């Protein structure tokens, strides 16, 4: 009987450690998502400003293309982080 309690105690300890790690990971991912959102908003503002001031300059066109690519990359990163957070939340919900 004592061995059964030891096994249960160990499983509970492991589950608690997993929950702590997942919560820490979730917090980190939420911070990354927030930073990504800020970077995306900044890039969109710069892109918008450049489009308003768009002239015939090749440098402006290159900058616009670069910012458009950056916006696309940031949106992709945001979607990946959002997906990872959703998975972590799913795991946390199964522990309740």
């Amino acid at each position: 009987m004592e061995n059964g309690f030891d096994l249960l105690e160990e499983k509970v300890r492991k589950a608690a450690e997993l929950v702590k790690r997942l919560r820490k990971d979730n917090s980190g991912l939420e911070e990354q998502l927030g930073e990504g959102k800020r970077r995306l908003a900044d890039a969109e503002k710069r892109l918008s400003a450049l489009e308003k001031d768009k002239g015939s300059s090749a440098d402006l066109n290159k900058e616009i293309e670069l910012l458009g690519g950056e916006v696309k990359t940031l949106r992709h990163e945001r979607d990946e982080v959002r997906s990872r957070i959703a998975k972590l939340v799913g795991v946390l919900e199964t522990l309740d």
Side-chain angles (χ1 to χ4, degrees):
M1 190 62 132
E2 183 68 29
N3 193 21
F5 285 121
D6 290 340
L7 289 174
L8 178 61
E9 189 175 66
E10 182 62 26
K11 285 184 179 186
V12 169
R13 221 180 268 119
K14 285 181 181 180
E17 290 172 13
L18 176 64
V19 168
K20 285 180 187 178
R21 184 178 57 82
L22 289 173
R23 285 186 176 152
K24 183 179 177 184
D25 289 349
N26 189 28
S27 177
L29 289 171
E30 286 176 349
E31 287 178 25
Q32 287 179 1
L33 178 61
E35 176 63 25
K37 284 181 178 179
R38 285 188 293 278
R39 288 176 50 204
L40 176 60
D42 289 343
E44 287 175 335
K45 285 178 187 175
R46 291 187 318 205
L47 179 59
S48 178
L50 283 173
E51 286 176 341
K52 287 179 184 176
D53 297 336
K54 187 162 99 172
S56 60
S57 171
D59 289 339
L60 282 178
N61 289 335
K62 285 182 183 178
E63 183 71 15
I64 289 170
E65 286 180 30
L66 288 173
L67 287 172
E70 185 177 348
V71 167
K72 184 177 179 180
T73 299
L74 289 170
R75 285 183 177 150
H76 179 72
E77 287 176 7
R78 179 188 64 192
D79 291 340
E80 285 182 9
V81 169
R82 190 176 285 156
S83 172
R84 290 175 66 190
I85 288 174
K87 287 178 186 177
L88 285 174
V89 168
V91 169
L92 288 173
E93 287 176 350
T94 63
L95 295 176
D96 289 339

